[in-house]
Amino acid sequence: MTKGRLEAFSDGVLAIIITIMVLELKVPEGSSWASLKPIVPRILAYIFSFIYVGIYWNNHHHLFQAVKKINGSILWANLHLLFWLSLMPIATEWIGTTHFAKNPVAAYGICLIMAAVAYTILENQIIRCEGENSRLKEAIHSKFKEYISIIFNILGIAVSFFYPYIAIGFYYIVALIWLIPDRRIEKSLKEN
């Protein structure tokens, strides 16, 4: 199997996710700057989610630069990741319309943690397919970023029931961790 079709499908799904999120934004009623005030939480939620989807797209691209072959398990693991990311428009709309209320912020965190878990599963399936000498295994010998992201998302979910804005802070830290594409993979690709 070639990886091109998987990458093209994933790119299409991620583009649709972003499109759905932006279509949920409604034009403010009125023409003054003050008319933007009621939709500021929705705009902030959109920006935050756009960055997250962009991070996954960017890192997914880097991930598959290190992949030579794929199999059915990788296809399913990739679909698992896309499933959780496809829930981002709903979670984004919910936190935006409720002005970051506790239950929606917790649900948003669940989407984030499940996407992080799914991404880690995808990495593991690729390594299993390509074997112990795979470029990816060599590149990500340390999974610190993956595991710290899951921990911060769990903290965010736990805190969201009491302090939703602090929970958003935890989710924001995870985004900062992954904002720069995975240099472990870039470094591995340069060496080979």
Side-chain angles (χ1 to χ4, degrees):
M1 259 183 243
T2 64
K3 61 183 180 174
R5 189 165 180 202
L6 178 145
E7 290 176 294
F9 177 75
S10 300
D11 287 348
V13 170
L14 294 173
I16 291 168
I17 291 167
I18 289 172
T19 302
I20 291 169
M21 287 189 313
V22 78
L23 290 175
E24 291 296 323
L25 293 176
K26 305 297 179 217
V27 176
E29 295 181 23
S31 61
S32 69
W33 291 112
S35 63
L36 285 173
K37 188 176 180 181
I39 65 167
V40 165
R42 294 177 80 187
I43 292 170
L44 292 174
Y46 168 74
I47 291 168
F48 194 55
S49 294
F50 182 91
I51 290 169
Y52 253 107
V53 173
I55 287 168
Y56 273 101
W57 175 78
N58 203 325
N59 283 290
H60 189 272
H61 171 72
H62 278 81
L63 177 69
F64 277 90
Q65 292 301 304
V67 174
K68 292 182 180 174
K69 62 182 178 177
I70 63 169
N71 62 16
S73 295
I74 293 170
L75 293 175
W76 282 109
N78 192 67
L79 280 173
H80 181 230
L81 171 63
L82 294 176
F83 169 77
W84 289 106
L85 292 175
S86 74
L87 295 176
M88 288 298 289
I90 297 166
T92 301
E93 181 68 8
W94 201 19
I95 64 172
T97 58
T98 62
H99 298 234
F100 300 89
K102 60 184 179 182
N103 290 332
V105 169
Y108 190 85
I110 291 168
C111 285
L112 293 178
I113 196 168
M114 293 309 297
V117 168
Y119 189 86
T120 303
I121 290 169
L122 178 59
E123 285 179 334
N124 291 336
Q125 288 302 315
I126 291 167
I127 291 168
R128 180 178 285 159
C129 176
E130 293 193 334
E132 291 299 312
N133 296 323
S134 73
R135 268 200 267 176
L136 184 60
K137 180 164 183 159
E138 178 185 317
I140 61 167
H141 58 277
S142 167
K143 290 199 173 199
F144 177 77
K145 284 175 75 168
E146 287 87 342
Y147 296 136
I148 197 73
S149 299
I150 291 170
I151 290 168
F152 274 111
N153 283 324
I154 289 170
L155 288 171
I157 293 166
V159 168
S160 68
F161 296 107
F162 308 100
Y163 306 103
Y165 288 101
I166 293 174
I168 292 292
F170 280 115
Y171 306 153
Y172 183 75
I173 290 169
V174 174
L176 288 177
I177 290 170
W178 288 97
L179 199 57
I180 297 171
D182 202 333
R183 291 183 191 237
R184 300 171 299 176
I185 294 173
E186 286 182 353
K187 183 179 175 186
S188 174
L189 291 173
K190 285 179 184 177
E191 291 173 357
N192 289 326

